[in-house]
Amino acid sequence: MTQDTRTTLRTPIVAVLGHVDHGKTSLLDKIRGSAVSEGEAGAITQHIGATDIPLETISTMAGELVDPDDFDLPGLLFIDTPGHHSFSTLRARGGALADIAVLVVDVNDGFQPQTEEAIDILRRTGTPFVVAANKADTTPGWNPQEGEPIQRSLAAQSDRAESMLNENLYEIIGQLSDVGFSADLYWRVQDFQKNIGVVPVSAMTAEGIPDLLTVLMGLSQRFMREEMAIDVHGPGEGTVLEVKDERGFGATVDAVIYDGVLRNGDTVVIGGQNEPIVTEVRALLRPRPLAEIRTEKKFEKVAEVTAAAGVKIAAPDLDDAMAGAPIRVVRDRPVEDVVAEVKAELAEIEVETAEDG
Ligand code: GDP
């Protein structure tokens, strides 16, 4: 097989971050919910710690905003990052695990301490991002247009409501400029490499969500495409999101695989509290589809997962595994080499954590 036929484009990994209560969870839930209800176009796959929204679904949700022929990336994988601390510990080969990020800012509250912290992390990791100016629906006199692109929604607002929203949006654009980022409403941005796009959204009414998905897809396609070319059959590489005890499985690891393939039965090296853990995958688990949730078992077993994907790994000796640590499949090379690689990466993480104080 030639390199060309082995290589494919993986799904870009998207993280959502921002100040507490600005709507990260609601936004993710809404994106997931809207995608599920558009599901007939290209059902979303359930993942552990992540949601995969295929291009087909995005294009149905975004309507006239997206022409699927403009894209060859398969969609977007949103990872659940409950706090900004988890974002800073989530790395991949020394860089950020997320390829791209959504910074959620409450349109009424503007920048808050954790917004500033999130900006610092995004700057330090060089992660491209868009700003979701959330809770647009709380603008006094707002006339909600469920699920509509934001410009259509704006056309349905009174002049007064529109200008009140604009005032708040320009406040946020000013705050971005104060911290060194030139920004504008996304439809005015010509060059997304120079300017940050601000997308007014509502996690309550889903207004602007078509726009947000479109901008993320466009940014990924234009600036990430090269990095998304992976050898799908290569040894899997991933990052631990969380270590969890699971009935019937003992300690398990929730992980995001960002490169290659991870198969049931693979020997893997996972970063641990003391030494890297060398173990063998006993089961790869995904949540059951919603329709089957009534059955006793929460998970279904899969034979393999290909990047990018969230998955729960069951294997012996995972008690000491560490959130943020690397996962490497051992295939076609000596296990000692992989252990050394994992050790080196862990040392790098420790240095950076120490520098962060
Ligand atoms: P997180 O801490 O950033 O994850 O914020 P949450 O998603 O938990 O949201 C905090 C609160 O704001 C909750 O009460 C949400 O219902 C509310 N909220 C979030 N997004 C919106 C929105 O777009 N419009 C309105 N009206 N309320 C929202």
Coordinates of all heavy atoms in Angstrom, one line a residue, residues 255-288:
A255 N -10.1 8.6 27.2 CA -9.0 9.2 26.4 C -9.5 9.8 25.1 O -10.5 9.4 24.6 CB -8.0 8.1 26.1
V256 N -8.7 10.7 24.6 CA -8.9 11.1 23.2 C -7.7 10.6 22.4 O -6.5 10.8 22.7 CB -9.0 12.7 23.1 CG1 -8.9 13.2 21.7 CG2 -10.3 13.2 23.7
I257 N -8.0 9.9 21.3 CA -7.0 9.4 20.4 C -6.9 10.5 19.3 O -7.9 10.8 18.6 CB -7.4 8.0 19.8 CG1 -7.7 7.1 21.0 CG2 -6.4 7.5 18.9 CD1 -6.5 6.8 21.9
Y258 N -5.7 11.0 19.1 CA -5.5 12.1 18.1 C -4.7 11.7 16.9 O -4.6 12.4 15.9 CB -4.9 13.4 18.7 CG -3.6 13.2 19.4 CD1 -2.4 13.1 18.6 CD2 -3.5 13.0 20.8 CE1 -1.2 13.0 19.2 CE2 -2.3 12.9 21.4 CZ -1.1 12.8 20.6 OH 0.1 12.6 21.2
D259 N -4.2 10.4 16.9 CA -3.4 10.0 15.8 C -3.5 8.4 15.7 O -3.6 7.8 16.7 CB -2.0 10.4 15.9 CG -1.3 10.4 14.5 OD1 -1.8 10.0 13.5 OD2 -0.1 10.9 14.5
G260 N -3.6 7.9 14.5 CA -3.5 6.5 14.2 C -4.7 5.7 14.7 O -5.8 6.3 14.9
V261 N -4.5 4.4 15.0 CA -5.6 3.5 15.4 C -5.2 2.8 16.7 O -4.1 2.4 16.9 CB -6.0 2.6 14.2 CG1 -4.8 1.7 13.9 CG2 -7.2 1.7 14.6
L262 N -6.2 2.7 17.5 CA -6.1 1.9 18.8 C -7.0 0.7 18.7 O -8.2 0.9 18.4 CB -6.4 2.8 20.0 CG -6.6 2.1 21.3 CD1 -5.2 1.5 21.8 CD2 -7.1 3.1 22.4
R263 N -6.4 -0.5 18.9 CA -7.2 -1.7 18.7 C -7.3 -2.5 20.0 O -6.4 -2.4 20.9 CB -6.6 -2.7 17.7 CG -6.5 -2.1 16.3 CD -6.3 -3.1 15.2 NE -6.2 -2.5 13.9 CZ -5.0 -2.2 13.3 NH1 -3.9 -2.6 13.9 NH2 -5.0 -1.6 12.2
N264 N -8.4 -3.2 20.2 CA -8.6 -4.1 21.3 C -7.4 -5.1 21.2 O -7.1 -5.6 20.2 CB -9.9 -4.8 21.2 CG -10.2 -5.5 22.5 OD1 -9.7 -5.2 23.6 ND2 -11.1 -6.5 22.4
G265 N -6.8 -5.4 22.4 CA -5.6 -6.3 22.4 C -4.3 -5.7 22.2 O -3.3 -6.3 22.5
D266 N -4.3 -4.4 21.8 CA -3.0 -3.7 21.6 C -2.2 -3.6 23.0 O -2.9 -3.4 24.0 CB -3.3 -2.2 21.2 CG -3.3 -2.1 19.6 OD1 -2.9 -3.1 18.9 OD2 -3.8 -1.1 19.2
T267 N -0.9 -3.6 22.9 CA -0.1 -3.3 24.0 C 0.1 -1.7 24.0 O 0.4 -1.2 22.9 CB 1.3 -3.9 23.9 OG1 1.1 -5.3 23.9 CG2 2.2 -3.5 25.1
V268 N -0.2 -1.1 25.1 CA -0.1 0.4 25.2 C 0.8 0.8 26.4 O 0.9 0.1 27.3 CB -1.5 1.0 25.4 CG1 -2.3 0.9 24.1 CG2 -2.2 0.5 26.6
V269 N 1.4 2.0 26.2 CA 2.2 2.6 27.3 C 1.4 3.8 27.7 O 1.1 4.7 26.8 CB 3.6 2.9 26.9 CG1 4.4 3.6 28.0 CG2 4.3 1.7 26.4
I270 N 1.1 4.0 29.0 CA 0.3 5.1 29.4 C 1.1 5.8 30.6 O 1.6 5.1 31.5 CB -1.1 4.7 29.9 CG1 -1.8 4.0 28.8 CG2 -1.9 5.8 30.5 CD1 -3.2 3.5 29.1
G271 N 1.2 7.1 30.6 CA 1.9 7.8 31.6 C 1.2 7.6 33.0 O 0.0 7.7 33.1
G272 N 2.0 7.3 34.0 CA 1.5 7.0 35.3 C 2.1 7.9 36.4 O 3.0 8.7 36.1
Q273 N 1.6 7.8 37.6 CA 2.1 8.7 38.7 C 3.6 8.5 38.9 O 4.3 9.4 39.2 CB 1.4 8.3 40.0 CG -0.1 8.3 39.9 CD -0.8 9.7 40.0 OE1 0.0 10.7 40.2 NE2 -2.1 9.7 39.9
N274 N 4.0 7.2 38.8 CA 5.4 6.9 39.1 C 6.2 6.6 37.8 O 6.9 7.4 37.3 CB 5.6 5.8 40.1 CG 4.8 6.1 41.4 OD1 5.0 7.1 42.0 ND2 3.8 5.2 41.7
E275 N 5.9 5.4 37.3 CA 6.5 4.9 36.1 C 5.4 4.8 35.0 O 4.3 4.7 35.3 CB 7.1 3.5 36.3 CG 8.3 3.5 37.2 CD 9.5 4.1 36.5 OE1 9.9 3.5 35.4 OE2 10.0 5.1 36.9
P276 N 5.9 4.9 33.7 CA 4.9 4.6 32.6 C 4.3 3.2 32.8 O 5.0 2.3 33.2 CB 5.7 4.7 31.4 CG 6.9 5.6 31.7 CD 7.2 5.3 33.2
I277 N 3.0 3.0 32.6 CA 2.3 1.8 32.7 C 2.4 1.1 31.3 O 2.0 1.6 30.3 CB 0.9 2.0 33.1 CG1 0.8 2.8 34.4 CG2 0.1 0.7 33.2 CD1 -0.5 3.5 34.7
V278 N 2.8 -0.2 31.4 CA 2.8 -1.0 30.1 C 1.7 -2.0 30.3 O 1.7 -2.8 31.3 CB 4.1 -1.7 29.8 CG1 4.0 -2.5 28.5 CG2 5.2 -0.7 29.7
T279 N 0.7 -2.0 29.5 CA -0.5 -2.9 29.7 C -1.1 -3.3 28.4 O -0.7 -2.8 27.3 CB -1.5 -2.2 30.7 OG1 -2.5 -3.2 31.0 CG2 -2.1 -1.0 30.1
E280 N -2.1 -4.2 28.4 CA -2.7 -4.6 27.2 C -4.2 -4.3 27.3 O -4.9 -4.5 28.3 CB -2.6 -6.1 27.1 CG -2.9 -6.7 25.8 CD -2.5 -8.2 25.7 OE1 -1.3 -8.5 25.7 OE2 -3.4 -9.0 25.5
V281 N -4.7 -3.7 26.2 CA -6.1 -3.3 26.2 C -7.1 -4.5 26.2 O -7.0 -5.4 25.4 CB -6.4 -2.5 24.9 CG1 -7.9 -2.1 24.8 CG2 -5.5 -1.2 24.8
R282 N -7.9 -4.5 27.2 CA -8.9 -5.6 27.4 C -10.2 -5.3 26.7 O -11.0 -6.1 26.3 CB -9.2 -5.9 28.9 CG -8.0 -6.5 29.6 CD -7.9 -8.0 29.4 NE -6.6 -8.5 29.8 CZ -6.2 -8.8 31.0 NH1 -7.1 -8.6 32.0 NH2 -5.0 -9.3 31.2
A283 N -10.6 -4.0 26.7 CA -11.8 -3.5 26.0 C -11.8 -2.1 25.7 O -11.1 -1.3 26.4 CB -13.0 -3.8 27.0
L284 N -12.3 -1.7 24.5 CA -12.5 -0.3 24.1 C -14.0 -0.1 24.2 O -14.8 -0.8 23.6 CB -12.0 -0.1 22.7 CG -10.5 -0.3 22.5 CD1 -10.1 -0.3 21.1 CD2 -9.7 0.7 23.3
L285 N -14.4 1.0 25.0 CA -15.8 1.2 25.2 C -16.3 2.5 24.8 O -15.6 3.5 24.9 CB -16.0 1.1 26.8 CG -15.6 -0.3 27.4 CD1 -15.5 -0.1 28.9 CD2 -16.5 -1.4 27.0
R286 N -17.5 2.5 24.3 CA -18.2 3.7 23.8 C -19.5 3.8 24.5 O -20.1 2.7 24.8 CB -18.4 3.7 22.3 CG -17.2 4.3 21.6 CD -17.6 4.9 20.3 NE -18.5 4.1 19.5 CZ -18.4 3.8 18.2 NH1 -17.3 4.2 17.6 NH2 -19.2 3.1 17.6
P287 N -20.1 4.9 24.7 CA -21.5 4.9 25.3 C -22.4 4.3 24.3 O -22.2 4.4 23.1 CB -21.8 6.4 25.4 CG -20.6 7.2 25.0 CD -19.7 6.3 24.4
R288 N -23.4 3.6 24.9 CA -24.5 3.0 24.0 C -25.3 4.2 23.4 O -25.5 5.2 23.9 CB -25.4 2.2 24.8 CG -24.9 0.9 25.0 CD -25.8 0.0 25.8 NE -25.0 -1.2 26.1 CZ -24.8 -2.2 25.2 NH1 -25.5 -2.2 24.0 NH2 -24.1 -3.2 25.5

